[in-house]
Amino acid sequence: MSRIVYSAFSDEITPALEGQIRALKQLGISMTELRGVNGKSFVQLTNEEIDEVRQSLAAANITVSALGSPIGKMEPDGDFKEHLKLFERVMDIGDRLGAVFTTRRIRFFSFYPRSGQNRADFKAEATERIDTLLTRAQERGFVLCHENEKGVYGESPEQVRELCDIFGQRLRLALDNGNLRDDFKGL
C-alpha cells in the first residue's frame, strides 16, 4: 500500500518557527519546505540560527523535504558569480541541517531575461546557468527541482517541458499551479 507524506511551506502559516512547528503538528504534517524562518529567508540565517532550526525540527520530529531557495530569481543584469556564492550557501545550509534534511532537494527558478530580450536569445544563457547549477548540485549530492514562475525562462508548461527535454533526469520539477501565467491557468 502506498503512503502519502505531506509537506508544506509552513512560513505561509506564520513567520515564527515555533508557530510553524505547532501548526504542522496540529495538521499531522511531518515535513516542511524550509523557506522563511522568523521573518527571514533561511539563506539569511547564521550558522547558529540554522543549528537552532535543526534542533527545533528534530525535537518535533519534523524533517525538511526541500529548501525553498531564491536561486534563479536574480536580477537580469545581476552577477552570476555572486549568485553562485549564494547557491553554495544554500547547499552549505542543507549540509548543516543534517539528518532533518531527508531529501536533499532544492527548489530553484530558471532566471529572468533582460527587458526586451526575446526567448530565443535568452535560451543559451538560461540553460548554461541551469547546467552550472545542476553540475554543482550533483557534485555535492543535491537534487534541483525547477519551479515555474511568471517571467522566468521556464514559466509555462511547454517551457518546463523544454527544460526537461534538455536536462533529462538531472532536473526535477516542482510545479506551482499558482505561478502559471494567467493564460495557462485552468488547463
Side-chain angles (χ1 to χ4, degrees), residues 73 109 111-113 147-156 159 176 178-183 185:
K73 280 190 162 186
F109 302 87
F111 301 96
Y112 296 105
E147 180 176 347
N148 58 296
E149 166 124 325
K150 188 174 182 177
V152 299
Y153 185 78
E155 71 176 341
S156 73
Q159 293 162 353
D176 187 333
N179 285 350
L180 289 174
R181 292 186 339 220
D182 291 339
D183 56 332
K185 290 187 179 176

Side-chain angles (χ1 to χ4, degrees), residues 43-81:
V43 298
Q44 297 171 316
L45 300 177
T46 65
N47 286 342
E48 292 77 21
E49 289 171 317
I50 292 297
D51 292 344
E52 291 171 13
V53 168
R54 181 188 68 238
Q55 291 164 2
S56 296
L57 292 174
N61 209 20
I62 293 173
T63 58
V64 176
S65 61
L67 297 175
S69 86
I71 300 303
K73 280 190 162 186
M74 65 178 270
E75 293 297 318
D77 293 319
D79 184 342
F80 187 60
K81 288 182 183 178

Side-chain angles (χ1 to χ4, degrees), residues 119-182:
R119 180 170 169 72
D121 291 342
F122 186 57
K123 179 179 181 176
E125 183 178 351
T127 56
E128 181 179 327
R129 288 176 176 180
I130 294 168
D131 185 63
T132 298
L133 295 175
L134 287 167
T135 298
R136 288 187 179 207
Q138 288 174 314
E139 290 169 353
R140 293 196 49 187
F142 288 90
V143 176
L144 290 186
C145 302
H146 174 266
E147 180 176 347
N148 58 296
E149 166 124 325
K150 188 174 182 177
V152 299
Y153 185 78
E155 71 176 341
S156 73
E158 291 83 5
Q159 293 162 353
V160 170
R161 174 60 188 248
E162 178 185 29
L163 290 174
C164 290
D165 290 343
I166 292 168
F167 296 107
Q169 293 298 311
R170 295 175 64 204
L171 181 68
R172 300 290 190 248
L173 304 178
L175 179 65
D176 187 333
N177 194 42
N179 285 350
L180 289 174
R181 292 186 339 220
D182 291 339

Side-chain angles (χ1 to χ4, degrees), residues 9-38:
F9 275 125
S10 53
D11 64 337
E12 292 184 356
I13 299 168
T14 180
L17 181 62
E18 182 180 305
Q20 293 176 33
I21 291 171
R22 187 172 42 257
L24 290 169
K25 297 302 272 184
Q26 288 173 347
L27 294 168
I29 299 173
S30 61
M31 299 183 98
T32 185
E33 292 198 29
L34 191 64
R35 185 175 56 187
V37 177
N38 298 328

